[in-house]
Amino acid sequence: MQPPALAVVGWSGSGKTTLLTRLVPELRQRGLRVGVVKHSSDAHPLHRRGSDTARYTESGATFVAFANPAGVQLSFPEPPEAVLSLLARFADSVDLVLVEGWKHGPLPKLEVWREGLGPLLAATRHDVLAVVGDSPVPEGVKCFTRDDVPAIADFLQQCLRDGVLRATEGP
């Protein structure tokens, strides 16, 4: 079973990472176990070229882990779409997974929007539940300011209670 998940989307520079680094502690303070996935549309190596872990990946390992005193990083040679099935392995250890990015993925979305960076996705996408931004958004779209992290956390907790943080078919 896949854990509840939400994609936090927006154009580059809109403030997604900043919001997440403020939202995770707020949700944890409320007792939620939160996982975070960074999704990138740019292809870049997960392991430094020529490193032992890159060589293990190239050899066809089912997974590669890098462990040191700071923690463990685990990678799988799977396409980005496989993230949902991989997350199912952690369903018992998290209450919510926040995915930074993945605009075109099947998850419900919280859009972080800053005027001038790109068009507002919520204007044309039914899977955007709310917008975080300081500019006016179309009427009928739930909107939060960037500094209202407690209200955003309240909203996410309500979404969890309502069961709306599940993957859907198509955008």
Side-chain angles (χ1 to χ4, degrees):
M1 181 171 140
Q2 176 199 324
L6 175 78
V8 177
V9 302
W11 302 102
S12 180
S14 62
K16 300 179 299 292
T17 301
T18 300
L19 176 64
L20 284 169
T21 59
R22 295 177 65 210
L23 190 56
V24 169
E26 177 73 25
L27 292 168
R28 285 187 42 86
Q29 184 178 21
R30 295 168 182 229
L32 293 175
R33 300 167 301 165
V34 181
V36 179
V37 174
K38 170 66 177 175
H39 180 274
S40 177
S41 56
D42 297 328
H44 56 79
L46 296 176
H47 303 282
R48 192 180 74 248
R49 186 177 171 166
S51 67
D52 293 346
T53 56
R55 292 173 61 204
Y56 301 145
T57 300
E58 292 164 6
S59 74
T62 301
F63 70 84
V64 175
F66 180 80
N68 68 27
V72 177
Q73 184 175 5
L74 187 60
S75 61
F76 298 87
E78 303 285 341
E81 299 77 31
V83 72
L84 295 177
S85 62
L86 293 172
L87 290 177
R89 298 177 186 182
F90 301 97
D92 292 336
S93 60
V94 296
D95 299 306
L96 175 63
V97 176
L98 298 172
V99 178
E100 180 183 339
W102 210 12
K103 281 185 199 94
H104 304 294
L107 297 174
K109 293 159 184 54
L110 177 68
E111 181 177 5
V112 181
W113 189 66
R114 191 175 305 240
E115 196 168 21
L117 294 179
L120 180 69
L121 298 173
T124 59
R125 302 280 304 260
H126 72 280
D127 56 353
V128 176
L129 303 177
V131 174
V132 176
D134 301 319
S135 300
V137 298
E139 194 170 315
V141 176
K142 187 155 193 64
C143 187
F144 299 95
T145 64
R146 295 173 193 287
D147 293 327
D148 206 355
V149 173
I152 297 168
D154 289 343
F155 175 71
L156 294 183
Q157 286 186 295
Q158 185 62 51
C159 288
L160 282 168
R161 285 190 292 274
D162 294 345
V164 299
L165 301 182
R166 301 280 180 214
T168 60
E169 296 296 320

